[in-house]
């Protein structure tokens, strides 16, 4: 029952929970702090030593939702950018990944490397060229412009992620579908896609989260019309003062969809990560 | 193997070439196998397949009659599966033509050929139920729900899986999965039925049972069937005719009995039969072949002395008072028969008999065979002389 070198069962469980608790505390502390701050008045925020007991107020939320500096339009901007980027990534990424996994075409290796290489470039190095390019075509401060720039990063990432899922579907499965008179498109739709839907779910989540959290491109390439919530947050910090409590309330609102999505898709994310880790490496 | 068990074919009624649509030329066998209407004849002409610099098929020619059970037999890498995939349209040809019922289908899409295939891995759709799997080929051509339902029930009943329709492939045993794959292939009554080593993933007992059922199923459907295997026993029991593949070439086509009785080369001789044919190097002159100092009689005569390889089936070999000098290496009791391992002229030779001889290891004996049971092959080319 007991194995040598390991703690007895109850002791071991306690140790594990303690460790998990410690990790959770470190990870959750900023979130909890932010949550508390969002219910404080500006005066309580700046109190030193910090107050743990205070009269909570909803004023911050009221301000960031309905006040003159409401972030609702920004949440909407974020939603539009992230949704469009995700949808387009899937529309282009799925067929591309399928082709990379299945078809033999010249320069397949090079293409594969290019896809990966784009992930190695630090985005900051590209921001000036992107700015100039968008300026030339009138794409600054437009949804189209920001979405296209998001795609340059999310699409290669999505393809790279999806290829391994497509490669896991045996070729015979598809050949069987062809002989069953499905044709290529319906073979993809009826036979292949249902088998990679886990991968598609993971890709959707990652791409959406990336686009939602993206700040640097948004701040440089966006503007007054297109200002995602990440940039709007930034505006709570000004030269005169930093509105910590409102900032915290805004941050909580900006985080909410991400956390909900994460909870909802937790199972898929964990599975997707392990699939990538275990199967992605030892491919033939 | 005793070929009485699969005998009964009349070799003389087996013309080398079949006319495309001439049903009367279908194999005459002990249990007649009438070709159903819509069952295809197949003709392959000069098919070459090249993968880059490697030539996988060196010009394949074949004629398969409607309703025939045709087996492509050969060791792995001999090109038999490639040939099957070319028939399916899953593989293109580098040269040559494929005809079905006289029509050139060489470049036709797999889905337009009206062929069904059972893959070695079964290739069942894991996210669909058994019912959906079997119904899929019908759904793809827009068959009505009711018709699909009835066809699926019928196909499932034929292979004995009617009770499994609501399961998914992951919940089935290997044998059950194999049946689902069969049902999916027969549900739409194809003109040509292709099977790629369908029994190789089953355990030995199940393989024997399924083999019998497969034969019965093919007989009752009457659909032209091309079956790939590397198992010569499977080929012998199932086939109306066999094409033996070696290194991307067809080296012999014939009934199981023909191939067993008259292998056209050393390669075929040593591939067919269990245990395979004994092969000894000797010198042939007149009616005698000299092997390692002993002389044995053969049925035909060589005018001048020449080097040959003489082949004798283990079951044609017997212990005798004279003949080839041999040393006993061991005795394998297989239940209903016995295989004696012998050394003749420093080569291992197997003798198969149904009466267990009393032999000691290392004992010196003589083995002999009837002159007409000797197979003679050219020592250089390996081709059959007689």
């Amino acid at each position: 029952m007991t194995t040598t070198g390991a703690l007895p069962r109850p002791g071991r469980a306690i140790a594990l929970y303690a460790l998990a608790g410690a990790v959770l505390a470190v990870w959750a502390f900023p979130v909890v702090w932010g949550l508390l701050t969002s219910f404080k008045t500006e005066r309580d925020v700046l109190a030193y030593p910090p107050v743990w007991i205070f009269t909570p107020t909803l004023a911050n939320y009221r301000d960031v939702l309905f006040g003159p500096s409401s972030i609702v339009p920004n949440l909407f901007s974020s939603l539009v950018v992230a949704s469009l980027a995700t949808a387009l990534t899937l529309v282009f990424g799925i067929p591309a990944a399928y082709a990379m996994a299945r078809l033999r075409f010249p320069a397949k290796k090079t293409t594969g490397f290019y896809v990966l290489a784009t992930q190695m470039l630090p985005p900051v190095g590209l921001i000036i060229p992107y700015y100039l390019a968008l300026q030339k075509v009138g794409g600054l401060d437009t949804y189209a412009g920001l979405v296209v720039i998001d795609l340059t990063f999310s699409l290669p990432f999505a393809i790279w992620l999806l290829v391994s899922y497509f490669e896991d579907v045996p070729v015979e499965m598809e050949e069987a579908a062809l002989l069953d008179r499905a044709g290529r498109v319906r073979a993809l739709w009826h036979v292949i896609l249902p088998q990679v839907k886990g991968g598609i779910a993971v890709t959707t989540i990652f791409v959406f989260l990336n686009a939602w959290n993206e700040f640097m491109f948004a701040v440089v390439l966006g503007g007054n019309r297109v200002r995602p919530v990440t940039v709007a947050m930034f505006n709570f910090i000004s030269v005169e003062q930093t509105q910590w409590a409102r900032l915290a309330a805004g941050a909580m609102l900006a985080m909410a969809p991400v956390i909900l999505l994460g909870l909802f898709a937790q199972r898929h994310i964990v599975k997707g990560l392990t699939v990538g880790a275990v199967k992605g490496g030892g491919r033939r | 193997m005793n070929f009485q068990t699969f005998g009964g074919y009349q070799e003389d009624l087996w013309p080398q070439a079949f006319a495309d649509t001439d049903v009367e030329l279908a194999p005459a066998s002990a249990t007649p196998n009438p070709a159903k209407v819509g069952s295809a004849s197949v003709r392959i002409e000069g098919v070459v397949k090249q993968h880059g610099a490697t030539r996988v098929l060196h010009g394949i020619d074949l004629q398969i009659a409607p309703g025939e059970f045709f087996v492509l037999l050969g060791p792995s890498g001999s090109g038999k599966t490639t040939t099957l995939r070319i028939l399916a349209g899953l593989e293109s040809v580098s040269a040559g033509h494929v005809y079905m019922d006289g029509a050139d289908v060489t470049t036709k899409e797999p889905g337009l050929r009206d062929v069904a295939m059972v893959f070695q891995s079964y290739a069942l759709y894991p996210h669909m139920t058994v019912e959906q799997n079997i119904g899929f080929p019908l759904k793809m051509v827009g068959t009505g729900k009711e018709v699909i339902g009835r066809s699926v029930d019928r196909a499932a009943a034929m292979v004995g899986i009617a009770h499994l329709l609501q399961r998914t492939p992951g919940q089935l045993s290997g044998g059950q999965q194999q049946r689902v794959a069969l049902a999916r292939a027969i549900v739409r009554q194809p003109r040509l039925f292709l099977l790629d080593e369908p029994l190789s993933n089953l355990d030995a007992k199940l393989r024997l049972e399924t083999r019998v059922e497969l034969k019965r199923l093919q007989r009752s459907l009457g659909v032209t069937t091309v079956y790939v295997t590397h198992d010569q026993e499977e080929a012998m029991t199932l086939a109306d005719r066999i094409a033996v593949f070696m290194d991307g070439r067809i080296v012999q086509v014939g009934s199981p009995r023909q191939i067993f009785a008259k292998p056209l080369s050393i390669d075929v001789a040593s591939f067919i039969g269990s245990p395979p044919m004994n092969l000894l190097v000797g010198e042939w002159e007149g009616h005698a072949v000299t092997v390692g100092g002993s002389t044995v009689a053969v049925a035909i005569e060589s005018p001048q002395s020449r080097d040959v390889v003489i082949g004798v089936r283990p079951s044609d070999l017997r212990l005798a008072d004279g003949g080839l000098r041999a040393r006993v290496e061991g005795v394998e009791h297989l239940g209903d028969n016995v295989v004696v391992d012998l050394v003749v002229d420093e080569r291992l030779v197997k003798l198969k008999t149904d009466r267990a001889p009393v032999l000691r290891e290392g004992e010196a004996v003589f083995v002999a065979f009837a002159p007409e049971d000797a197979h003679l092959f050219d020592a250089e080319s390996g081709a059959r002389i007689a």
Side-chain angles (χ1 to χ4, degrees), chain A residues 92-115:
Chain A
F92 295 118
I94 288 172
Y98 172 63
M100 298 270 289
R102 280 288 189 268
L103 304 180
R104 277 176 252 159
F105 58 91
K108 178 170 164 173
K109 275 230 170 93
T110 322
T111 317
F113 179 74
Y114 165 76
V115 164

Side-chain angles (χ1 to χ4, degrees), chain A residues 64 69-75 77-78 214-215 218-219 223 226-238 243 246-247 250-251 254:
Chain A
V64 296
S69 55
S70 165
I71 61 162
V72 172
N74 309 106
L75 285 169
S77 279
S78 285
E214 204 286 313
F215 171 73
V219 78
V226 180
R227 181 177 294 165
V229 72
T230 44
V231 179
M233 293 286 93
F234 189 57
N235 290 346
F236 285 107
I237 305 171
S238 64
Q243 302 169 334
R246 286 183 190 171
L247 186 57

Side-chain angles (χ1 to χ4, degrees), chain B residues 4-294:
Chain B
Q4 297 300 347
T5 52
F6 58 77
Y9 298 100
Q10 296 167 23
E11 281 169 47
D12 299 348
L13 293 179
W14 284 69
Q16 279 301 44
F18 288 94
D20 269 337
T21 50
D22 200 346
V23 178
E24 282 174 10
L25 284 179
S29 58
T31 39
N33 185 17
K36 294 265 165 76
V37 181
S39 180
S41 71
V42 176
R43 197 167 88 237
I44 299 178
E45 271 180 17
V47 162
V48 173
K49 178 69 188 179
Q50 194 115 15
H51 279 310
T54 5
R55 193 163 267 213
V56 191
L57 293 177
H58 302 260
I60 297 290
D61 295 291
L62 266 186
Q63 299 241 21
I64 301 170
E68 196 171 10
F69 199 123
F70 198 92
V71 171
L72 312 182
L73 174 67
S76 51
S78 59
K80 56 194 191 307
T81 296
T82 306
T83 305
L84 190 79
R85 290 172 57 83
I86 285 172
L87 281 178
L90 296 172
E91 204 89 53
S92 62
V93 302
S94 307
H97 291 276
V98 179
Y99 299 92
M100 279 176 68
D101 286 334
D104 191 337
V105 296
T106 315
T107 56
K108 219 172 188 183
E109 288 289 314
L112 302 174
R113 295 187 180 200
D114 201 6
V115 299
M117 182 159 166
V118 174
F119 291 81
Q120 187 172 8
S121 63
Y122 312 143
L124 300 178
Y125 311 131
H127 55 290
M128 298 183 194
T129 62
V130 167
E131 185 174 17
Q132 289 166 334
N133 261 282
I134 301 174
F136 188 73
L138 296 177
K139 186 180 162 192
M140 284 302 106
V141 288
T143 312
K145 267 206 176 112
E146 233 173 70
V147 180
I148 293 182
R150 262 183 282 126
S151 308
V152 168
D153 287 344
R154 196 171 53 228
M158 281 183 89
V159 296
I161 51 163
H163 57 298
L164 301 172
L165 287 180
Q166 295 317 315
R167 306 251 188 107
T168 57
Q171 299 167 317
L172 303 180
S173 70
Q176 289 168 334
Q177 291 182 2
Q178 204 264 353
R179 279 151 197 274
V180 177
L182 276 176
R184 188 175 68 185
I186 61 178
V187 72
R188 60 192 169 93
Q189 297 164 319
R191 289 198 301 159
L192 179 62
F193 197 19
L194 307 173
L195 299 110
D196 185 9
E197 310 236 7
L199 305 183
S200 62
N201 290 337
L202 304 180
D203 64 59
K205 183 168 173 284
L206 196 54
R207 200 178 309 156
L208 291 184
E209 287 170 14
T210 315
R211 202 163 78 189
V212 175
E213 283 177 49
L214 203 56
K215 181 80 177 173
R216 185 180 50 77
L217 188 68
Q218 196 269 344
R219 286 262 182 266
S220 67
L221 292 172
V223 59
T224 316
T225 301
V226 183
Y227 185 105
V228 162
T229 183
H230 64 270
D231 182 334
Q232 51 97 15
E233 196 178 306
E234 218 168 275
M236 288 290 190
T237 48
L238 285 171
D240 292 326
R241 283 194 309 149
I242 297 172
V244 184
F245 279 69
M246 299 267 169
D247 300 322
R249 289 188 176 84
I250 293 179
V251 289
Q252 188 166 4
V253 180
S255 68
R257 181 174 167 176
Q258 280 174 328
I259 287 174
F260 187 83
K262 282 196 161 65
L264 289 181
S265 71
I266 291 178
D267 287 340
V268 177
S270 56
F271 192 69
I272 306 285
S274 166
M277 186 183 283
N278 297 306
L279 296 164
L280 294 165
V281 182
E283 203 184 317
W284 179 29
E285 189 170 7
H287 278 289
V289 175
T290 310
V291 177
S294 326

Side-chain angles (χ1 to χ4, degrees), chain A:
Chain A
M1 227 188 92
T2 47
T3 47
T4 39
L7 291 166
R9 240 157 231 271
R12 203 174 145 174
I14 291 170
L16 272 176
Y17 276 113
L19 184 68
V23 171
L24 185 67
V26 170
W27 180 85
F29 178 74
V31 183
V32 173
W33 191 256
L35 189 67
L36 288 175
T37 306
S38 71
F39 290 108
K40 287 179 179 177
T41 58
E42 288 295 341
R43 190 210 309 259
D44 282 339
V45 171
L46 295 172
Y48 188 86
V51 286
W52 290 96
I53 314 287
F54 57 91
T55 321
T57 170
L58 287 172
N60 302 315
Y61 285 96
R62 199 170 52 226
D63 281 354
V64 296
L65 282 175
F66 312 113
S69 55
S70 165
I71 61 162
V72 172
N74 309 106
L75 285 169
F76 178 75
S77 279
S78 285
L79 189 68
V80 171
V81 171
S83 306
L84 275 178
T86 308
L88 289 173
T89 299
L90 292 178
V91 165
F92 295 118
I94 288 172
Y98 172 63
M100 298 270 289
R102 280 288 189 268
L103 304 180
R104 277 176 252 159
F105 58 91
K108 178 170 164 173
K109 275 230 170 93
T110 322
T111 317
F113 179 74
Y114 165 76
V115 164
L116 208 58
T118 59
Q119 298 293 298
M120 300 172 185
L121 291 172
V124 73
L126 296 169
I127 208 151
I128 304 298
Y130 281 164
Y131 183 90
L132 296 174
L134 281 189
Q135 194 179 36
K136 266 270 192 303
V137 299
L140 288 174
D141 198 15
T142 63
Y143 283 116
L146 205 49
V147 166
V148 164
I149 298 306
D150 268 350
L151 279 183
T152 63
F153 280 84
S154 66
L155 196 50
F157 170 74
I159 293 171
W160 173 76
L161 196 61
L162 284 170
V163 164
S164 65
Y165 282 91
F166 278 111
E167 281 176 346
D168 275 350
V169 180
V171 180
E172 294 98 80
M173 207 76 82
E174 202 169 331
E175 292 176 341
L178 289 182
L179 282 165
D180 285 344
R181 304 178 283 195
R184 266 211 187 269
V185 175
R186 283 191 302 171
L188 179 64
W189 183 256
H190 288 287
V191 174
I192 310 295
L193 286 188
Q195 295 187 55
V196 297
K197 69 178 179 210
I200 293 174
V202 172
T203 309
T204 307
I205 291 155
F206 277 129
V207 170
F208 186 87
L209 292 191
N210 269 334
W212 182 273
N213 291 334
E214 204 286 313
F215 171 73
M216 202 172 52
F217 289 130
V219 78
V220 176
L221 307 175
N224 285 329
R225 271 174 298 159
V226 180
R227 181 177 294 165
V229 72
T230 44
V231 179
M233 293 286 93
F234 189 57
N235 290 346
F236 285 107
I237 305 171
S238 64
V239 185
E240 298 90 50
Q241 62 164 151
T242 303
Q243 302 169 334
W244 290 114
R246 286 183 190 171
L247 186 57
M252 287 303 123
L253 290 175
M255 271 168 63
V258 175
I259 289 178
L260 285 179
L261 189 63
L263 284 178
F264 177 70
Q266 196 180 25
R267 201 167 51 88
H268 283 305
I269 294 181
V270 173
K271 212 165 112 190
L273 288 176
T274 47
V275 165
V278 178
K279 295 190 176 161
R283 196 160 306 289
R284 56 207 129 93

